Amino acid sequence: MAETTLLPADLQAERDFLTEARAALARMHHVVEERDVPLIGGEDNDERFTNEASERAKKQRTQALVDLPDVPLFFGRLDYEAGTIEGHDQIHIGRRHVHDGSGVPLVIDWRAPVSVPFYRATRSDRQRLLMRRRYGFSDHAALTGFEDESLIGAVETDQAETFLRTEIERPRTGPMRDIVATIQPEQDDLVRAPLHPSVCVQGAPGTGKTAVGLHRVAYLLYTERERLSRGGVVIVGPNRSFLSYIRKVLPALGEVDVRQITIDELIRQPATAVDEPAAARLKSDARMALVLRRALWSHVGVPAEGILYSKGSQRYRVHDYELAEIVSALHESTRYAAGRDALAQRVAHAVLVQMERRGESPDDRVQNAVARSKPVKTLLDAVWPKVVPEQILHRLLSNAEFLAQSAGEEFTADECAALLWGKPVRSWKSAKWSVADTLLLDELNDLIERSTGSLGHLVLDEAQDLSAMQLRALARRCRTGSATVLGDLAQATTPWAAGSWDRVLGHLEKSDAVVAELDRGFRVPDQIIDFAAKLLPQIAPTLGVPHGVRTVADSLSLVETDEQSLAGTLVASCRTALAGEGSVALIAADDQITALYDVLVAAGLQPALLGATEDEMDTTRLVCVPATLAKGLEFDSVVVAEPAQIVAAEPRGLQRLYVVLTRAVSSLRVVHATPLPDALSVAR
């Protein structure tokens, strides 16, 4: 006979309610899935578009109502004073709205105004709450218990803090989880900030800035869905590994129609060449925008002679000085291609004026015919020739004289020399472009012909690493939309980083953005933050020192060994970490990580190698992480190999080390045979 487990009545009642809510969600999903989409007949393009949009909307709604087995439907309950909410003194708060089929809500979406007190009510500002309940769930979304926090009467324990710590320290494997059950008031302020103006979050490690950005997207889609649907929402991350790590957060919150891409994918220009470091840095500089503009507009010349247009026996002449005035008026007053078209029309208009003076009555068709005539085309080819971005950039990078002329005073002679290609490239059609070149081509393309459309909202994560030219490219795609900019200036590791947030927002054309700082580390233990913060005076002296809200016993270990014993010590450290619960990462310099991966495989530990596939962290608890891919990721336990080699691997190695040291949620072990960097050595 099966053993029967007796549960407290309240816990059993909550489990029964969870079962009821899941059944209700399944019915909601079934109703949408079975619903016929009314189709409009006919061959009209607008009708086909309407049908496709309806089908797409149904598919998205169906996906949004999928009951994810490892995601709890609710995480909190609010008990209000009687009469606060008509018909409901008690509401469950969850990741999405669930109703019983007749309109009676079972679970209220966390984004609804009535849910706000769950995150912001305090004893001094109860917001008419009597009690707040938080639920505990297993990794498979089974309800395991709950804690009640009374907002009236005597204070016995800090139950909210206990729950927060428990949830944060719960071991994790696989991709990032949402933090909807543990959002703190300062995070909630940013999540629920209005669509405009844009928001910039300077967040120290472990402060939850990425989670804030993702939850802000979910909130904005709840409050501004129709407005944002016109332009769409895009999340731009630093690499595919990072995007794979965060990919499940929004679907868990019911949002399935958000693109998550890298900036290289957004630009959509293939890159097959590799720049020298100096050239890459210079091409990423904002000064290049002025150089490109000069290079493009230098192709516009001065008419050497007038034109003669013939119609039947009539002759119409536009003199060279008239043409020069037209060209001068249009020069750099519009985009290049539009200026060329405008020149043809204005010359044609000058001809039509002469026709009218002779008593003729020309119409628009006559003007267009003049604009397309051979004399006008000959003028355009001579004075305002057609160009493509590749043609301009090829000439700029292969012709020293043209580069010097276009550079003006923006670049020195040595900088121009660094920009020039080392080997001649015969034609722009055969040129191979680097990643930095693709951004220059994108800039030129917009100077020639204005990009159309604008995103509704853009989220930039790890924005401190973006260059001025990358930010300008992003700005062109979000001209009328808003942005959420996330990053930490102390973690700026690229040599072309734009600099301060004022500069970042200026290049992004969002100078009116609200800049907020998160300095309380909820994820990383205080001992680890304090250790890593020893680097801040050297890498970001203007930033304040962050602090953690948690201390974890024995969370930081520094292990010194010798070269011969290093591999064995790392294997032993990984075994120790795996003896506990949750995810484990071995992080090392990029040129070391493959060899260390092989060492762990030989030791029988079955690690994954980050960057090899997109779902590495789904398949194993132990992941070998190249230092350059560690940014934005979190693991329960982290083993760092040879910090000195991480520092020596790149110009901003200390910034990279700061990133690496702040990836652990529970424990960090630093193993080294080479002496630690000076700032960390004195901290021991």
Side-chain angles (χ1 to χ4, degrees), residues 311 351-353 355-356 359-367:
K311 184 182 179 184
V351 172
L352 260 66
V353 169
M355 290 180 177
E356 290 171 346
E360 301 179 44
S361 301
D363 55 18
D364 290 344
R365 289 176 297 177
V366 175
Q367 179 165 329

Side-chain angles (χ1 to χ4, degrees), residues 299-301 336 340 343 373-387:
H299 288 74
V300 176
Y336 188 93
R340 176 182 162 91
L343 174 59
S373 67
K374 184 176 180 180
V376 174
K377 286 184 177 180
T378 301
L379 169 71
L380 293 178
D381 291 341
V383 175
W384 205 301
K386 279 187 178 180
V387 293

Side-chain angles (χ1 to χ4, degrees), residues 180-231:
V180 68
T182 58
I183 293 173
Q184 296 301 290
E186 63 265 43
Q187 296 173 325
D188 196 53
D189 287 340
L190 296 170
V191 168
R192 297 177 191 268
L195 183 61
H196 292 282
S198 297
V199 171
C200 174
V201 181
Q202 158 63 40
T207 55
K209 56 184 176 294
T210 295
V212 165
L214 294 172
H215 288 70
R216 174 165 164 74
V217 166
Y219 175 77
L220 291 175
L221 285 169
Y222 180 82
T223 58
E224 303 277 3
R225 189 174 303 278
E226 183 176 352
R227 187 174 178 182
L228 292 177
S229 64
R230 292 192 289 269

Side-chain angles (χ1 to χ4, degrees), residues 166-183:
T166 301
E167 177 64 18
I168 289 174
E169 294 178 352
R170 182 158 62 94
R172 79 238 15 253
T173 54
M176 177 181 177
R177 298 194 299 250
D178 66 71
I179 64 163
V180 68
T182 58
I183 293 173

Side-chain angles (χ1 to χ4, degrees), residues 194 251 306 619:
T619 57

Side-chain angles (χ1 to χ4, degrees), residues 311-439:
K311 184 182 179 184
S313 61
Q314 300 296 317
R315 302 288 184 270
Y316 306 94
R317 182 180 298 278
V318 183
H319 297 284
D320 56 356
Y321 64 86
E322 295 178 89
L323 296 176
E325 289 177 358
I326 295 174
V327 170
S328 177
L330 290 172
H331 193 275
E332 293 198 57
S333 65
T334 182
R335 280 170 170 73
Y336 188 93
R340 176 182 162 91
D341 294 339
L343 174 59
Q345 289 295 327
R346 292 196 184 184
V347 172
H349 177 72
V351 172
L352 260 66
V353 169
Q354 294 184 37
M355 290 180 177
E356 290 171 346
R357 288 173 180 169
R358 297 183 186 182
E360 301 179 44
S361 301
D363 55 18
D364 290 344
R365 289 176 297 177
V366 175
Q367 179 165 329
N368 289 332
V370 176
R372 293 192 300 268
S373 67
K374 184 176 180 180
V376 174
K377 286 184 177 180
T378 301
L379 169 71
L380 293 178
D381 291 341
V383 175
W384 205 301
K386 279 187 178 180
V387 293
V388 295
E390 292 82 358
Q391 175 186 354
I392 303 299
L393 190 57
H394 169 265
R395 184 182 177 193
L396 196 65
L397 300 180
S398 61
N399 186 320
E401 183 179 352
F402 183 59
L403 175 59
Q405 170 193 326
S406 301
E409 297 182 356
E410 302 302 327
F411 289 108
T412 65
D414 288 343
E415 288 175 324
C416 287
L419 282 168
L420 285 169
W421 283 332
K423 297 180 180 179
V425 179
R426 182 174 299 177
S427 165
W428 62 267
K429 294 182 179 180
S430 61
K432 294 182 178 180
W433 308 108
S434 68
V435 172
D437 291 334
T438 64
L439 293 161

Side-chain angles (χ1 to χ4, degrees), residues 602-668:
L605 292 185
Q606 299 182 328
L609 180 60
L610 192 67
T613 62
E614 283 198 12
D615 60 351
E616 308 94 338
M617 289 181 287
D618 287 357
T619 57
T620 181
R621 287 180 58 204
L622 175 61
V623 183
C624 293
V625 181
T628 58
L629 294 182
K631 193 170 295 183
L633 308 183
E634 288 181 347
F635 304 89
D636 287 288
S637 299
V638 172
V639 178
V640 175
E642 289 291 23
Q645 291 202 30
I646 294 174
V647 173
E650 54 187 311
R652 293 195 172 206
L654 282 176
Q655 284 88 342
R656 183 73 66 189
L657 180 59
Y658 180 73
V659 172
V660 167
L661 293 175
T662 52
R663 300 304 96 200
V665 174
S666 296
S667 69
L668 170 68

